[in-house]
Amino acid sequence: MQEIELSIISLRSQEVRRRQMVAQMEAFQLPWSLFDARTSENPPIPYSEVEAALDWRGPLTPGEIGCFASHYACLSEFVEKQTARYRIVIEDDHLPEGMKVAHRLWD
């Protein structure tokens, strides 16, 4: 089992961004993979619009639900497959910041 792995959440439809990301990651030493972002509640997520209205600023937008579903699915896969002790999850639009954190943890 690996110590740390990196999962990068990215929309499959964003081909240019994905190619740029792959080019940036080629020099990175940490095991990494792309994780296809979700655009809906697939898989089902533990979300209640009623509870969100009580605990938050109101119901989540479809984009926020997709974002949450992506992170939830990525972490569910991590728990299920147990391919590493730790998984760093970042989104492709935050790659530079995520890479700084990953480098510090890896070194």
Side-chain angles (χ1 to χ4, degrees), residues 6-63:
L6 177 67
S7 289
I8 303 168
I9 296 175
S10 176
L11 286 167
R12 187 181 294 243
S13 61
Q14 296 294 319
E15 294 175 16
V16 172
R17 185 185 292 174
R18 286 173 80 115
R19 280 195 305 271
Q20 292 171 340
M21 193 173 24
V22 168
Q24 289 180 25
M25 293 303 298
E26 286 178 350
F28 193 54
Q29 301 295 317
L30 186 66
W32 66 276
S33 62
L34 292 175
F35 187 87
D36 292 333
R38 306 302 194 254
T39 56
S40 64
E41 291 185 53
N42 184 13
I45 56 174
Y47 170 70
S48 164
E49 194 169 288
V50 172
E51 289 180 27
L54 295 173
D55 296 337
W56 188 238
R57 57 171 167 49
L60 298 176
T61 67

